[in-house]
Structures are given as structure tokens and as C-alpha cells.
Amino acid sequence: MLELLCLHLAFLLFPSNLARTLLLLLVGLSAIALIVEGFLLYSYRSLITPYVLDAILQTNFKEAREFFIAFLNLKIFLIALGFLLAGYGYFKFFPTPQTTLSPRLIGIFFALYVLLSVIFIADVANRYFKHKPEPFAKLNENSLTRLFYSIRQYYGSTSFYTSYKQLVSNYQALRESYQGKISKSSDSPQHIVLVIGESTQRNFLEVYGYELPNTPFLRSFANNEGGQLALFSDTIASFAQTKLALQHLLNFSNAGDSQWNQSLDLINLFSLAGYKTAVFSNQEVVGSEVNAFSSIASLADYKANLNKFITSSRIAESQITYDGFLLPFIQSALEQNPTESRLDIIHLMGTHFNYDKRYPKEFAKFNANDIHYPSFADKKQKEIIATYANAILYNDYILNEIFKIYAKSDSIIFYLSDHGESLYEYKGKLGHFVTSRFTAEVPFLALMSEEFIQKHKETAQKIQSAKDKPFVIDDLIHLLCDVAQIQVQDYNATKNPLSAEFNAKKIRIFNQKADYDKELKGEIAQPK
């Protein structure tokens, strides 16, 4: 659309020869953008982003040469050449028609363009003066302006990418301040794995009582008397938004702390205690929603991200890479160093909307006819809820595959979701940006290998004894300190459900707005 606008303005404002020259320049720039972004989409499912710019600026000649040899194969070269020849042929054999617009029509177009410009400037000004995030984000929606927008993001003092770099720098400084102040027992578990799901409400899991059989793996463990599954029954998220939930899940801060990034994080904690660390992610590499996670993940010894250059949540939400594509990276990392002690964090797309994009077609088991809750849902709503149930079925499969990777070692896997989801239960609304029981209640469970149970019987028993205690996920780091037998000054036994000192009467505030136990726990599904 922007290209058409520029083209039209060129022929309105300038002589035809100059306008034609500008047209050729516009076509050239558009062709370059098409080739570059086509390659990025083909290879990385990404457009031009600040992270792409960073990769380019941090690359030396040798690395660039190796990159071109590895990725710019004959197929890509022929596709690019085909586009260039098609463009040349169009201008060669289809000359631009010579037309003259009447002064009245020119005036109408000018008025239209002035109106559109005023609307655009007013929108940017409104976002800027109300301190809304990314006031110039519309520039990122067009290939011609995306490069300039990415440059602004990369160098701008208030951009999410600048924020990301500041967070990384801050955590690096924190690491230095904790040198020599953290220790662990020689009997600590070998592998501690944290799997972070997305937008999963526990009441839609069969293992938590849902009517559809969408968690066969977890159900099999729940029926097993070996004690390998501990299903926490009363756990809530701290916030109904990924950004805010992750700010407090991965460090020692408390929900609502404005200086959350001044608290010691999981990666530095385990690294300084003597663990190696690894992060595997199927979400965007940086962005306003995931910077709290990405900045910590950057410090890990081993990193694998399926979306290397994606910095847009819109693209991440619509991309079709399933969580299962992470499994080979997890398997490979373990096989490379099977004996080292390691903390692994796995960040899934989980059951994020659009739900039907979260699983391969062979997991499309349920349909609208299978859905009976909520009772007031219409057929279209039931179809969407069915895709949510299918996404949970695939999520259960992923947990099964992850467990298989670690099953034969001294390992414990914790799984939780960053927040829940309202499936039309909160006033007929779909999504999670509301303060409700349905967005607060999340699954939280521990899967223990047989070797873990044998070597750490006391810890396994404490986990089983704690599974029905009231818990908030922003206190997870205190529980992990106990499991890993890490000693650090920030640890607080009253926030650890495995401890005899645990405060089960803590007031659990959700979204910094409501007392969950008093105001939300008894909430029932209601239509609009």
C-alpha cells in the first residue's frame, strides 16, 4: 500500500521523467526488500528486525563468507534471479501509460492524502504522549519502512531491543556481585528441567478433571503408584499476561516489584552454584512480551531458539513451527554432555491462540460435538474450544517426549503455564487479559525419574506432601533452591511449599487487583 502511495505522489508532484526515475528506484528498493525478506522468511520465518541487524553488525568477514556458502544455494539464487528478470521484463515490454489527471481529481487525491497523513500523525502522537508501547509500530508493517523502524529500534533509547540489551547488561553485573556467595550440595540432582507453557488453564486438562481425554500421558502417570508424578492442585499465576508473569517467575522478585530486574535470576543462580545451563525456546527471540525471559536466556551456556530473528509477537503467534521441533535440540544437548549437572529451561508456545496452529493435524482429535462446557457456548465457540482441547493433547505429547529424554537419568521436570485462559467463561470472553479465576488457575506438576526418586527420596516425599498447598508461580525459584540444594541469601523458606516454614496463609493477589482466595476462587462461568 505504501509503495502505491509513493508511486501516486511521484506522478502527482513531479514531471513524468522524474516520476519514472523515482518509480524505478522504488521498484529497485522493493525488489531488494523482497529478496532479503523472502530469504529471511524462507530460512528463519522472520522479516527484517533489530535482531537481524545485530547479527549483521556482529558478523566479521569470515563469518559472512561461511554464511553465504552455507545458505545461499542455487535454488535461492535462481528464485532471486527470476524475480529480477520478471521485474525487468515488465518495464521493458509493458511501458507506463501516459495519462493526465484533471486539476479537480488532483485536488481530491491531495485532500485524501492530507487526511490520511493527519490520521497517522494523530495516532503516533496519541501513542507517544500517552506513553503507549511502540508508537511508531505501524512503520514495521511495510517492507520499505521496516528497515528504518528496525534501525530506530536497535539504536533508540526507549525501544524494546534497547531494553533487552539493558536487561542483559544488568544481569551480567548481578552475576559479578554474587560471585562466591552461592553454593550447592554434592548430592544435588543432576538434571533440573523447567518447562514453561503458555496460556494453559488447568481446568481443561483431563488429569485435572476435564471431561475429554486430552492428557493420556499425564493420566497414565497419575494412575501409576510409582510416585513419579506430583500434580499440584492449587497453583495460580501472578499475572494474566506473559510479560508481567515472566518478570517475576524467573528471579527472586515478588509480584508487583517495579525493580524486578534487580533480583538474582535462575540462570545466574544455577550457574554460580555449579550447574551448566541451557535454554530452548519456541517463542520470539526478543520483544516486549518476552524480554524478561530472553535477557536471562542469553546468559545460558547452551541456547536453541526455533525463531532466531523473530521479534514480533504477531508473527510468533501465527508461525506454524510446533513445539515438537525443539525435541531434537534438547536430545542433542543432553547427548553431548550426559554426565554434567544442568538446569534446562524449555519455553513452549503451548496453547497460545490461535489454538489450531499449535498442533499438527494428526492431533485434531476433538470437535465441537465433543464440547459440553461451558454450557452456554454456541457452535462456533465450541469449535474454538475443541481446538484448545487438541492443543492440550499435543502439549501432553510434548511433555511425554521431554520426559523420555530425561527418564534414564537423575532428573526432575517441572511444568507450569505462565497464565491461564478464559474459554468464554469470563463474561463470554476469549483470551487472558482479564482478572479472573480462569486466567489465574494454571497447571503445575513435577515429573520425577526413577533414579531421582531413588537418590532423593526425602525431596520426592516433600514434593508429594506439598502438592495440595496453595502456591503462586512467582515463588518457584525458592522451591527450586530446595530441590537443587542451593544455598543463597535470597532464599525464603516461607515461600517454599516443600519447607516446614512455608506460609500457607499468604494472601495471593492476582494481577495486582484481586485476592484470589476471597474474590476469584468461587467464580463460575458466565455468558456475556
Side-chain angles (χ1 to χ4, degrees), residues 179-387:
Q179 289 285 354
K181 298 179 181 179
I182 300 174
S183 61
K184 73 175 179 68
S185 167
S186 58
D187 191 38
S188 297
Q190 182 183 6
H191 295 129
I192 296 179
V193 183
L194 173 60
V195 182
I196 303 173
E198 171 73 54
S199 304
T200 305
Q201 184 197 147
R202 69 166 177 261
N203 304 300
F204 278 83
L205 277 68
E206 177 205 6
V207 75
Y208 276 99
Y210 188 53
E211 61 179 343
L212 298 181
N214 61 357
T215 56
F217 163 65
L218 292 177
R219 173 55 64 192
S220 68
F221 267 73
N223 295 334
N224 190 320
E225 296 181 358
Q228 289 181 269
L229 171 65
L231 197 69
F232 286 73
S233 62
D234 192 10
T235 299
I236 66 167
S238 51
F239 290 94
Q241 182 182 355
T242 298
K243 175 182 179 179
L244 299 176
L246 292 180
Q247 286 177 358
H248 306 287
L249 171 63
L250 302 170
N251 54 43
F252 279 106
S253 68
N254 299 311
D257 286 353
S258 59
Q259 298 297 315
W260 55 270
N261 57 341
Q262 300 300 316
S263 299
L264 181 66
D265 61 280
L266 267 178
I267 294 294
N268 276 329
L269 170 68
F270 274 76
S271 180
L272 292 171
Y275 277 87
K276 291 295 183 180
T277 56
V279 174
F280 309 89
S281 177
N282 190 27
Q283 297 215 11
E284 61 263 43
V285 64
V286 293
S288 59
E289 285 295 304
V290 297
N291 268 357
F293 177 87
S294 301
S295 55
I296 293 171
S298 70
L299 308 174
D301 299 305
Y302 181 92
K303 297 174 281 291
N305 193 301
L306 295 181
N307 311 295
K308 292 183 179 180
F309 297 122
I310 293 179
T311 60
S312 165
S313 59
R314 182 180 301 177
I315 294 175
E317 289 166 11
S318 62
Q319 54 87 30
I320 58 172
T321 297
Y322 306 121
D323 287 332
F325 284 89
L326 282 174
L327 297 171
F329 294 95
I330 302 170
Q331 180 74 57
S332 175
L334 187 63
E335 290 174 350
Q336 288 175 22
N337 297 286
T339 60
E340 69 181 10
S341 297
R342 203 171 71 203
L343 168 73
D344 289 355
I345 301 178
I346 303 169
H347 197 192
L348 306 177
M349 279 297 284
T351 59
H352 196 293
F353 192 81
N354 291 336
Y355 315 128
D356 60 344
K357 295 185 181 297
R358 301 296 154 243
Y359 54 88
K361 61 182 180 180
E362 57 265 31
F363 285 85
K365 178 179 180 179
F366 309 111
N367 57 48
N369 294 327
D370 299 310
I371 305 302
H372 305 104
Y373 171 84
S375 59
F376 52 78
D378 60 31
K379 184 177 180 180
K380 179 61 177 178
Q381 292 172 338
K382 287 181 178 180
E383 289 174 352
I384 293 175
I385 295 171
T387 64

Side-chain angles (χ1 to χ4, degrees), residues 65-77:
R65 180 176 177 275
E66 292 173 350
F67 175 85
F68 282 116
I69 292 174
F71 289 96
L72 295 188
N73 53 41
L74 180 61
K75 180 179 179 181
I76 292 176
F77 174 77

Side-chain angles (χ1 to χ4, degrees), residues 463-524:
I463 291 172
Q464 291 292 353
S465 299
K467 62 185 181 182
D468 294 319
K469 293 181 180 180
F471 188 57
V472 186
I473 64 172
D474 63 317
D475 289 336
L476 176 69
I477 196 169
H478 301 277
L479 182 154
L480 294 179
C481 279
D482 189 323
V483 173
Q485 301 178 46
I486 293 175
Q487 291 78 46
V488 61
Q489 63 188 27
D490 306 74
Y491 169 73
N492 186 339
T494 67
K495 298 181 178 183
N496 171 24
L498 310 189
S499 170
E501 301 176 42
F502 177 65
N503 178 18
K505 296 182 179 180
K506 171 185 174 180
I507 298 175
R508 295 189 287 176
I509 303 298
F510 178 64
N511 251 2
Q512 291 295 291
K513 292 180 179 179
D515 182 328
Y516 167 77
D517 294 286
K518 289 184 178 180
E519 302 175 56
L520 301 179
K521 200 168 188 178
E523 184 181 1
I524 61 174

